[in-house]
Structures are given as C-alpha cells and as structure tokens.
Amino acid sequence: MRTGAMTPAAPAPRGGPALAGVLWLKVLALGTLDALGAWAAARLWADGRVWPAVAMVAGLVATTWIFTSPRAYPMRYIWPGFVFFALLVIYPIGYTVAVAFTDYGTGHMLSKEQVIRQFETMTYEPEDASRFRFAAFQAPGGTLTLVMEESPGRWAVLEGGKVRPADPAADGLVDEDGDGLPDRMGSRQALAVAQLARRLAELRQMRWEWGDRILRMMSLRELGEARHAYRYDPASDTLTDTRTGTTYRPVEGYFTGEDGQRLEPGFVTYVGLDNFVRMVTDPAISRPFLRVFVWTFAWAALTVLLQFSAGLGLAVLLNDPRLKLRNLYRSVLILPYSVPAFISALMWVGLLNTEVGVINDFVRALGAGPIPWLQNPFWARVALFLVNLWLGYPYMMIITLGALQSIPSELYEAALVDGARPWDVFRSVTLPLLMIAVSPLLVGSFAFNFNNFNVIFLVTGGGPPMVGAQTPAGHTDILISYTYRLAFQGGQGTQFGFASAISIVIFLVVAILSAINFRMTGVFEKMSENV
C-alpha cells in the first residue's frame, strides 16, 4: 500500500540543454587554459624564471575566478583587454625601463648564472688523458646507455650523465664474440657503427661525470677523458682556471684576472644611471646625442610648420567658391595621400639620386652642378623636408579645409560690412577660429614626426654619418632612428641598455606632448564655447 505524498520531480535547469552545453564548453575552455598554463608555469619555474611563473599562476587564478564567480561578472568584459594591455604595453615598457639600468648588449647578453654554467661546461684534454672502448645500447624509448671497458675484464655503465661500475649479471651484459666489449645488454643488442653515426650529433653533446674527470666521445668507438677547464666557487664568487690556477673575479660584467685579463662572454650587470649619465658627460656620446636631440625637435617642428603652411594655403584656395574645377583640384592634390608612404619614400630616393636622379637632371639642364642630396648633411635634411612635405601636406589640407567650412559665413559678412581687407579677415577671423580646431592636431602631428622613423630610415638611413662619433650617429638621425641603430646596427656591437635609456627619454618627451595636447584640447573647447 502506498503511503504519504509523492515526491515532486526536480525542476529542469533554466535554459535547458543549450545552457548546459554552454556551461560545459566554458568548463572545457577554462580547464584547457589552466592545464596549459600550469604546464608553462612549471617549465618556467624549472628554468629558474620564478617571477614569470608566479605571474602566470596569478593570471590563471584570476581568470578562473573572474569567469566562474558571479561577483566578478562585470570583469569578464574588460579582462581580455586588460590581459593584452598588460602583455603588449605594460610589459614592454617595464622591460625597457629595466634594461635601461643595465649594460645589456654585445658581450653582456647572458645572465651571470648562465655564464658560470657555460664556463663550468668547458673542458680540456690533459696530456695524460686515457681513452676507452665502448659499446652503445638503445632502450625502446631511444635512450642510449654506454658500456665502457674501464680496464681489461672490467666494465662501467654510463647513463644519466653518470658512471657506475657494471654488474654483468644484474645488467645482463654478455660478450658473445670475446672481444672484450659486451654485445648484448639484456634483450638489447649493441649498436653498429652505422647506427651510431646516425646519432653522432647527440653523442658529441653527451658528457659523463667520473669523479673529477669527464668522459666525452672521441670517435664512434672510443671515449676520451677530459677535465673541467674552470671551477666556480660560490663562497668567494670567483672562477678559477684549473689549468693555470688563475683566479677571476666579477668586475664590470666580466670575470677579470688580477692582470686585467677578461674572460668572455661577459654577463649583464646593473649599472644604475650610467646610461643616462653617459648621454651628457661622455663627449664622444653626448656630442652626437645632443646634435641628434636638437635635430629631432627641429625636424618635427619645421615639418609641421611646412606641412601646415602648404595645407592651409591650398585649403584656402580650394575653399574659395569663385575657384572653378575645385573638385578636380581636390582629387589631384590628395593623390600623394593615397599612395603608401614607404612606396613614395623609395620613389623619392630614386628621384633624388645624385648621379641618375631626375631632379639632378633638371638641375643640370639649368646649368648648375649636381646636388648631393643624400651625401651632404645640409642637402640630406632638405631632401627629408621635401619628401615629408609631399607625404604630409594632403593631411593638413584635408583637416584645414574641413575646419574652414565649419566657420560661420556670417562672421565674414560682418567683417566685410566693417570694411576689413582680405588679410585682416584671415588674420582676425579665419586663423583664430581655425586654430581652435587644428591646434590639438598640430601637437599630435609634432609627436608623430618626433618618432617618424620610416621616412628617415627609408630616405637617408640616418646618414650621412657624423665623423668622429663613437656611436652610429648620422646627421639626419632622429632619436628613434638613432636608438634603432644603437640597438641593431652598432659597429662596436649592440647597446640595448643605452638604447633603452634613450627610449625612456623619447617616452617622456612624447608623454609631455600628449599632456600638452590634452590640455590644449580642453582649453580650446572652452574658447569655442565663447565664440
């Protein structure tokens, strides 16, 4: 007999199977991400990169919490953007700042720990070095085990970088042909010479510690005895050459002996503000740097002035309703803006060629000598202004033309009624109202040209070079191209630390310009409200 009330069935999940499918997909995606991230963090930790591993784990924990906790629901929309912002903006800036306080560059590319490991792996063959015959056996997974004839009738097993005495019974070693070397190790047969030759590169990299000695491969049938060339003492932080007994101490990024001899490679060291101080105190560096610094400001300011003047003049003409075929002129004048800048720059390099360029052909036709456009410092700068004027005047023409058309016509009519001349109208009405709209854009254009690497690199490459400069500085280099050449084209090697210090200076200048731009935008907005 049935007693009591019937238990009601559990309600179906809201959303039905579709919602359950989305939930499973989210769990699968988060699980895969966490698994891959945990694997990567473990590898980073094993490589000694503690802070990247900690950051990876923290990021995984935060991601999992944000996408599973209802309280963090709003964060789901900004978290992906924040992650990319951190990776692509914050990390490069932080890394550049960190490098700027080091001597990172040619000769100082590795950490001190990496350099010590490199020296500790160096070996040499002593005069009384012995050689030993060996047989090699391959495990099913591909791992090699070597058996060495230490002395007649006595074998040693080499595996895992170590050497241990062989136990023929336990190791299953059998010498079938009686040549003194085992032919079988358990169920494995000794590898033939041809099979060893296929793994020659791997065998040459293998080392086995044997007391204070090292065994390494000398031929496909012999191992040779070697010894460590250097030993590092952590207590005294010194490196000792075991052949000569010379002791080396770390000095300015190198292990240096008492006689001043340096061991290479060096290692990265913290140099504090040295890179910044060098910019102003070392004459061989400060002079070219100062010239580049001044030229960068002149280049950016004059470029904006030329482009704006040309664009404004053309815009005033095209804004005159009495001009016929205005649309045709606008279309023709905007053509330089429609061609990719790097193509235009390379085209101008051909036109300005001293020997075969069209412009010098025209100059010769006028009876003058050829102009060294790209070889002479003065003419190289003129060439850059010419090319950048061609590239930039359409932009200025477009923005000023739009700003001119936004000025109320009643203001011009009132000025004409008051008897103002055209120049007075332009100076007192057009230009002030125009500057309200375009001044922030001019500041932005100054900042853009301050870092206009493409035109400098494609047209002059920063040259012609400054004579006597210790750094790869050219007469047309601006700070960004100078930084690039320091980092990647230095005749004395790369100087990433010094280049990073200059990058920080550029960053500060652009940051100040941006702040001015924002401030001017606010000021002109207030001015426009009173017009």
Side-chain angles (χ1 to χ4, degrees):
M1 184 178 67
R2 302 173 62 185
T3 60
M6 295 180 61
T7 303
R14 294 179 60 185
L19 183 58
V22 171
L23 182 62
W24 276 109
L25 281 176
K26 186 167 75 172
V27 171
L28 180 63
L30 282 176
T32 304
L33 178 66
D34 288 344
L36 293 175
W39 172 78
R43 292 294 302 269
L44 290 172
W45 186 278
D47 291 342
R49 302 177 182 179
V50 177
W51 286 111
V54 172
M56 176 75 74
V57 173
L60 291 175
V61 172
T63 302
T64 304
W65 177 68
I66 287 171
F67 284 92
T68 54
S69 172
R71 291 192 300 171
Y73 190 88
M75 289 288 293
R76 300 177 189 183
Y77 298 99
I78 63 173
W79 183 247
F82 175 78
V83 171
F84 282 107
F85 178 76
L87 290 175
L88 303 179
V89 178
I90 296 177
Y91 174 74
I93 292 176
Y95 186 74
T96 301
V97 172
V99 171
F101 294 92
T102 69
D103 58 356
Y104 184 44
T106 298
H108 302 272
M109 303 292 286
L110 304 175
S111 67
K112 185 178 179 182
E113 291 74 18
Q114 290 173 318
V115 169
I116 291 172
R117 282 200 297 269
Q118 187 168 325
F119 279 116
E120 286 185 325
T121 57
M122 291 183 180
T123 59
Y124 73 98
E125 185 177 0
E127 295 180 357
D128 58 345
S130 303
R131 296 200 174 192
F132 308 92
R133 296 191 302 155
F134 73 93
F137 302 89
Q138 179 175 313
T143 305
L144 287 177
T145 300
L146 273 59
V147 178
M148 176 184 74
E149 185 186 30
E150 185 177 351
S151 60
R154 186 178 177 184
W155 295 331
V157 178
L158 289 69
E159 55 186 2
K162 302 293 182 183
V163 181
R164 63 172 175 83
D167 183 342
D171 293 322
L173 299 174
V174 179
D175 181 7
E176 295 175 340
D177 55 9
D179 64 349
L181 281 176
D183 301 294
R184 189 158 52 83
M185 187 176 190
S187 60
R188 293 177 280 171
Q189 290 292 328
L191 298 179
V193 173
Q195 293 173 300
L196 287 175
R198 287 195 286 270
R199 304 186 65 170
L200 183 59
E202 178 186 356
L203 285 166
R204 283 179 172 170
Q205 298 297 322
M206 298 176 77
R207 298 287 187 275
W208 297 271
E209 297 284 347
W210 193 21
D212 61 345
R213 295 166 289 178
I214 295 174
L215 292 175
R216 61 184 182 182
M217 182 182 175
M218 305 303 293
S219 70
L220 290 175
R221 280 306 181 193
E222 281 190 327
L223 297 174
E225 187 183 46
R227 295 182 183 276
H228 288 287
Y230 295 94
R231 287 204 181 278
Y232 176 71
D233 182 7
S236 59
D237 194 20
T238 57
L239 198 67
T240 303
D241 188 333
T242 59
R243 295 160 292 186
T244 63
T246 305
T247 300
Y248 298 87
R249 300 180 185 280
V251 178
E252 296 181 350
Y254 289 99
F255 280 103
T256 307
E258 293 182 356
D259 58 354
Q261 181 186 3
R262 289 177 168 179
L263 296 179
E264 292 186 351
F267 49 87
V268 179
T269 56
Y270 174 75
V271 297
L273 296 172
D274 283 1
N275 289 324
F276 297 92
V277 174
R278 286 172 61 197
M279 292 183 200
V280 293
T281 59
D282 188 345
I285 295 176
S286 61
R287 288 174 184 168
F289 175 77
L290 183 61
R291 294 171 72 173
V292 170
F293 191 79
V294 172
W295 161 244
T296 303
F297 276 91
W299 154 257
L302 291 175
T303 292
V304 174
L305 178 62
L306 289 173
Q307 291 178 346
F308 179 68
S309 300
L312 176 60
L314 292 171
V316 170
L317 291 175
L318 295 175
N319 196 47
D320 190 340
R322 296 169 296 179
L323 181 66
K324 296 181 180 179
L325 301 176
R326 286 192 298 167
N327 290 334
L328 175 63
Y329 296 145
R330 288 175 181 173
S331 302
V332 172
L333 290 172
I334 208 173
L335 279 179
Y337 208 43
S338 62
V339 179
F342 75 93
I343 292 179
S344 296
L346 295 177
M347 178 192 71
W348 274 99
V349 172
L351 295 175
L352 294 169
N353 187 283
T354 304
E355 302 300 329
V356 297
V358 175
I359 295 178
N360 267 351
D361 288 345
F362 179 73
V363 172
R364 290 191 189 94
L366 296 177
I371 298 174
W373 292 104
L374 306 178
Q375 291 78 31
N376 180 275
F378 172 77
W379 288 111
R381 290 174 176 176
V382 172
L384 283 174
F385 283 125
L386 186 64
V387 174
N388 216 25
L389 177 62
W390 172 265
L391 295 173
Y393 85 82
Y395 170 73
M396 292 295 181
M397 184 186 71
I398 291 171
I399 62 172
T400 51
L401 188 59
L404 286 173
Q405 293 175 352
S406 67
I407 298 175
S409 59
E410 293 81 0
L411 297 176
Y412 292 112
E413 294 171 359
L416 292 175
V417 170
D418 291 342
R421 294 173 297 178
W423 170 249
D424 295 330
V425 174
F426 176 78
R427 183 171 57 86
S428 303
V429 178
T430 303
L431 193 58
L433 294 176
L434 190 66
M435 293 306 292
I436 293 175
V438 303
S439 288
L441 298 175
L442 295 181
V443 177
S445 181
F446 180 91
F448 171 79
N449 285 290
F450 195 85
N451 284 326
N452 197 343
F453 175 83
N454 291 344
V455 170
I456 302 294
F457 186 76
L458 292 174
V459 177
T460 65
M466 291 183 189
V467 178
Q470 286 190 3
T471 54
H475 284 280
T476 59
D477 263 323
I478 58 175
L479 284 174
I480 189 67
S481 65
Y482 181 51
T483 303
Y484 172 81
R485 297 175 71 182
L486 276 173
F488 302 107
Q489 295 182 345
Q492 300 177 350
T494 56
Q495 302 181 54
F496 294 120
F498 188 55
S500 297
I502 297 178
S503 298
I504 292 176
V505 174
I506 298 174
F507 174 79
L508 294 176
V509 171
V510 174
I512 293 172
L513 291 174
S514 299
I516 294 173
N517 196 8
F518 287 129
R519 185 175 180 82
M520 291 182 67
T521 301
V523 170
F524 283 115
E525 283 179 355
K526 293 179 180 178
M527 290 176 61
S528 63
E529 292 173 357
N530 300 323
V531 175

